[in-house]
Amino acid sequence: MLRTTATCIGLGLAVGCYLRAAPQEPSSPAAPSPSARRAFLDRYCVTCHNEKLKAAGLMLDKIDVENVLASAAVWEKVIRKLRARQMPPAGMPRPDNATYDSFAIYLETELDRAAEAKPNPGRLVLQRLNRAEYTNAIRDLFALEIDGASLLPADDATHGFDNISEALTVSPVLLERYMSAAQKISRLAIGDPTIPPFLETYNVPDNLRQDDRISEDLPFGSRGGIAIRHYFPLDGEYVIKIHLRRNSAGEILGIDEPKQLEVRLDGERIKLFTVGGERKRARSEGLSEGEDYKYASTADAGLEVRFPAKAGMRLVGVTFLKGTTQPEGAFRGARGGGEQVFGGVDSVTIGGPHDVKGPGETPSRRKIFVCRPISREDEEPCAKKILSTLARRAYRRPVTDEDVQPLLSLYKAGRGNGGFETGIQTALGGMLVLPAYLFRVERDPANVAPGTAYRISDLELASRLSFFLWSSIPDDQLLDLAEKGKLKNPEVLEQQVRRMLADSRSKALVDNFAGQWLYLRNLRSKAPDRAVFPDFDENLREALQQETELFVESILRDDRSVVDLLGTDYTFLNEILARHYGILNIYGSQFRRVVLSDEARKGLLGQGSLLMVTSYNTRTSPVLRGKWVLENILGTPPPPPPPNVPSLKEDKDVQNLTMRERMELHRANPACASCHKLMDPLGFALENFDAIGRWRTTIGAASTPIDVSGELPDGTKFDGPAELRKILLSHPEQFVNTFIEKLLTYALGRGIEYYDRPAIRKITREAAPDYRWSSLTLGIVKSAPFQMRRSREP
């Protein structure tokens, strides 16, 4: 317990001693003199030598301040604390800003100069493709969209991301899943005519309201239902079966009045059903109780349609049509606990193929079959061309006969059991489980001395670049440049980075980088208590997520400053979300860009998605929110909590206390106080937002006013989210540093080490003052950690 507490304050005490010993020169941030540094050493043991510092392992009296490089890891921690003004600890005398800056600049200059002269780029050896990368690689390799989540398990995350090499281990179970996935993918990509009919069911979330158009993939004038992107493996006939929602007794909801249910394929109607009305008519004719239940439970028995479809990815839409026969709200599910009038669609099952006509002419087949054999003698040369072309893309490098021969052997085995296409299918199934595809491998050149930093090859750079920006394999243009040795040219490299950022595949940065950095992926697992938040439903959850995704993507696409993530004056809303935020005159399910007049809503800190993932299911959490700001905005994460510390009390003794009062009781524990003094004020500033992101000014049955005031370690006071954001924006370089640290972690596939921080500072300096997304991305791509690698130690 003592060790964790000391971690929070140890560096603050130690450097606080130095800062009080250093001459105070408020007019200049010049580096302190040797005598000032000597004074620090002389005074340290007298002023700061205590058991807490020993426990924290931060005995700065044993560090040679004249030889910063000898203790670079410790001094990098000191720099972060200085820049965040988190030292000395609260209550101790503090230096002025000029003294803060002079010491930080001195340390940074020494460390950066050494890193420039002798870079340490770190070392990665092996990195497995994670699930998202595997899915995207299949898309780009075969022009085939797959559901990676149904084929492969989720990957473990560390350092905030699931593409970190140390966590991407391989187990026997995972290998089995890879082999199973490879067989299924190769059959779909080729269009195996022996694929038997199978069923795939798509469920509509239980808590999704179906009273209005719910997807831009469904037509205007529709209500509820589901839009499905389904892969039809062959030209043939398929069957769609629709099930409607039922109550706990098994009765279909809202079938007294007739309603029209439409089924579409790629936007064209293939069937229009009339559902309901029979029960009401039969009741007027003296329907018995048993017959009444039969109507109520079997009214969807005939909702089935058989139709022909071409092979490939198709859009299936199932939705009710708005009409004049039912009053407004007839489709509306209950909000707040009332009885549901109409449930809508519960699930859609697609079955087939039946009466197969052939494999069709799909994008996958066009991508695979770059040649067609005319005779038996043409087959093997054509097979070699096909497999060589695909292997080059899959392995991200030129292939040799040694690479192609095993694939040809698989082709021949498959050819003997079927035909030419069966042979190609067998070879592709083998390709997808080979290490050359599943792993990114970087090897030391033979002529590089052990422990030496060297520049990686153009081909390795191409893979790093494509997996960074696209979470996928390099395309032909990138591979061609790498093979010719042109990618290392700075102008060519910059052109490729800008091209790749402009490509739609860079949406991976939103889905995989921002989705994890901002905890957006956690939104799906949040389950706000219905008793506390009866208005929360799946429609709102999806709207919250889409708002932040569209917002982040707009910053990327418009190449705006990343600082705008905190302070820009617009967001993206539809009617559901606008109503949730109390914003008027926004109608319909379609999202549109909206200028915000409410200062509290501007930027990420005002978005409900982030406020919800940093809350509990029944209440807000100033601790979670404060920790999120420290870690993801300020880049100064607190240490893990000490063991055996009780959680916040939730019993009747505290039910009438405000959150601030309850946290004050929690902070009475000395083991908790030091870190909570950093986290809690930041979280309290966001207490006007409840656990699902709604604005509030009071809390509880007594309508107690919410106190959103706080104070930073340096004494800066603020009141509420708008003032907190203003403070954060007054030091944009700190947020930019944090953003770069997160993006570099994601780009490298490893955690950030102390020797990476000079590169982060260089990227920040060179991107100033605009800090555009493209500038930061280019800075990372051009940096030593991204372009270089350290050879194996002797």
mmCIF file of all heavy atoms in Angstrom, residues 600-614:
data_model
loop_
_atom_site.group_PDB
_atom_site.id
_atom_site.type_symbol
_atom_site.label_atom_id
_atom_site.label_comp_id
_atom_site.label_asym_id
_atom_site.label_seq_id
_atom_site.Cartn_x
_atom_site.Cartn_y
_atom_site.Cartn_z
ATOM 1 N N ALA A 600 -20.639 23.576 -22.869
ATOM 2 C CA ALA A 600 -20.375 22.331 -22.145
ATOM 3 C C ALA A 600 -20.356 21.119 -23.068
ATOM 4 O O ALA A 600 -19.726 20.107 -22.757
ATOM 5 C CB ALA A 600 -21.416 22.131 -21.052
ATOM 6 N N ARG A 601 -21.046 21.204 -24.220
ATOM 7 C CA ARG A 601 -21.152 20.052 -25.122
ATOM 8 C C ARG A 601 -20.009 19.977 -26.130
ATOM 9 O O ARG A 601 -19.875 18.993 -26.844
ATOM 10 C CB ARG A 601 -22.471 20.102 -25.881
ATOM 11 C CG ARG A 601 -23.664 19.614 -25.093
ATOM 12 C CD ARG A 601 -23.626 18.129 -24.888
ATOM 13 N NE ARG A 601 -24.747 17.682 -24.032
ATOM 14 C CZ ARG A 601 -24.795 16.525 -23.432
ATOM 15 N NH1 ARG A 601 -23.818 15.662 -23.577
ATOM 16 N NH2 ARG A 601 -25.822 16.202 -22.670
ATOM 17 N N LYS A 602 -19.181 20.982 -26.221
ATOM 18 C CA LYS A 602 -18.181 21.029 -27.274
ATOM 19 C C LYS A 602 -17.046 20.039 -27.019
ATOM 20 O O LYS A 602 -16.574 19.888 -25.900
ATOM 21 C CB LYS A 602 -17.625 22.456 -27.406
ATOM 22 C CG LYS A 602 -18.662 23.463 -27.910
ATOM 23 C CD LYS A 602 -18.083 24.862 -28.028
ATOM 24 C CE LYS A 602 -19.137 25.837 -28.527
ATOM 25 N NZ LYS A 602 -18.620 27.225 -28.630
ATOM 26 N N GLY A 603 -16.605 19.385 -28.075
ATOM 27 C CA GLY A 603 -15.470 18.479 -27.973
ATOM 28 C C GLY A 603 -15.837 17.142 -27.356
ATOM 29 O O GLY A 603 -16.976 16.865 -26.985
ATOM 30 N N LEU A 604 -14.825 16.283 -27.237
ATOM 31 C CA LEU A 604 -15.036 14.925 -26.743
ATOM 32 C C LEU A 604 -15.613 14.889 -25.342
ATOM 33 O O LEU A 604 -16.406 13.994 -25.011
ATOM 34 C CB LEU A 604 -13.701 14.160 -26.766
ATOM 35 C CG LEU A 604 -13.141 13.797 -28.143
ATOM 36 C CD1 LEU A 604 -11.743 13.221 -28.006
ATOM 37 C CD2 LEU A 604 -14.057 12.798 -28.854
ATOM 38 N N LEU A 605 -15.220 15.833 -24.493
ATOM 39 C CA LEU A 605 -15.654 15.778 -23.096
ATOM 40 C C LEU A 605 -17.150 15.992 -22.938
ATOM 41 O O LEU A 605 -17.696 15.708 -21.870
ATOM 42 C CB LEU A 605 -14.897 16.818 -22.267
ATOM 43 C CG LEU A 605 -13.392 16.597 -22.127
ATOM 44 C CD1 LEU A 605 -12.785 17.667 -21.221
ATOM 45 C CD2 LEU A 605 -13.078 15.213 -21.587
ATOM 46 N N GLY A 606 -17.828 16.467 -23.980
ATOM 47 C CA GLY A 606 -19.270 16.665 -23.899
ATOM 48 C C GLY A 606 -20.065 15.602 -24.625
ATOM 49 O O GLY A 606 -21.288 15.721 -24.740
ATOM 50 N N GLN A 607 -19.407 14.557 -25.104
ATOM 51 C CA GLN A 607 -20.106 13.528 -25.871
ATOM 52 C C GLN A 607 -20.534 12.369 -24.986
ATOM 53 O O GLN A 607 -19.750 11.832 -24.197
ATOM 54 C CB GLN A 607 -19.222 13.051 -27.025
ATOM 55 C CG GLN A 607 -18.947 14.169 -28.021
ATOM 56 C CD GLN A 607 -18.327 13.704 -29.310
ATOM 57 O OE1 GLN A 607 -18.064 12.515 -29.510
ATOM 58 N NE2 GLN A 607 -18.078 14.650 -30.209
ATOM 59 N N GLY A 608 -21.783 11.976 -25.160
ATOM 60 C CA GLY A 608 -22.381 10.981 -24.282
ATOM 61 C C GLY A 608 -21.687 9.635 -24.304
ATOM 62 O O GLY A 608 -21.697 8.913 -23.303
ATOM 63 N N SER A 609 -21.085 9.266 -25.430
ATOM 64 C CA SER A 609 -20.415 7.965 -25.503
ATOM 65 C C SER A 609 -19.295 7.875 -24.482
ATOM 66 O O SER A 609 -19.184 6.872 -23.755
ATOM 67 C CB SER A 609 -19.860 7.743 -26.910
ATOM 68 O OG SER A 609 -18.922 8.757 -27.249
ATOM 69 N N LEU A 610 -18.466 8.910 -24.408
ATOM 70 C CA LEU A 610 -17.334 8.881 -23.486
ATOM 71 C C LEU A 610 -17.794 9.045 -22.039
ATOM 72 O O LEU A 610 -17.202 8.472 -21.127
ATOM 73 C CB LEU A 610 -16.334 9.981 -23.843
ATOM 74 C CG LEU A 610 -15.842 9.954 -25.296
ATOM 75 C CD1 LEU A 610 -14.738 10.973 -25.504
ATOM 76 C CD2 LEU A 610 -15.346 8.575 -25.664
ATOM 77 N N LEU A 611 -18.848 9.806 -21.833
ATOM 78 C CA LEU A 611 -19.383 9.972 -20.482
ATOM 79 C C LEU A 611 -20.009 8.667 -19.990
ATOM 80 O O LEU A 611 -19.949 8.346 -18.801
ATOM 81 C CB LEU A 611 -20.411 11.105 -20.476
ATOM 82 C CG LEU A 611 -19.833 12.474 -20.819
ATOM 83 C CD1 LEU A 611 -20.937 13.438 -21.233
ATOM 84 C CD2 LEU A 611 -19.042 13.043 -19.641
ATOM 85 N N MET A 612 -20.564 7.892 -20.912
ATOM 86 C CA MET A 612 -21.205 6.634 -20.530
ATOM 87 C C MET A 612 -20.181 5.540 -20.246
ATOM 88 O O MET A 612 -20.328 4.783 -19.275
ATOM 89 C CB MET A 612 -22.153 6.194 -21.649
ATOM 90 C CG MET A 612 -22.919 4.918 -21.354
ATOM 91 S SD MET A 612 -24.212 4.660 -22.586
ATOM 92 C CE MET A 612 -24.430 2.892 -22.476
ATOM 93 N N VAL A 613 -19.129 5.439 -21.055
ATOM 94 C CA VAL A 613 -18.144 4.371 -20.823
ATOM 95 C C VAL A 613 -17.282 4.659 -19.599
ATOM 96 O O VAL A 613 -16.563 3.763 -19.137
ATOM 97 C CB VAL A 613 -17.234 4.147 -22.053
ATOM 98 C CG1 VAL A 613 -18.045 3.680 -23.232
ATOM 99 C CG2 VAL A 613 -16.431 5.391 -22.399
ATOM 100 N N THR A 614 -17.356 5.857 -19.055
ATOM 101 C CA THR A 614 -16.624 6.180 -17.831
ATOM 102 C C THR A 614 -17.582 6.321 -16.650
ATOM 103 O O THR A 614 -17.308 7.050 -15.699
ATOM 104 C CB THR A 614 -15.814 7.481 -18.008
ATOM 105 O OG1 THR A 614 -16.672 8.526 -18.483
ATOM 106 C CG2 THR A 614 -14.686 7.273 -18.998
#
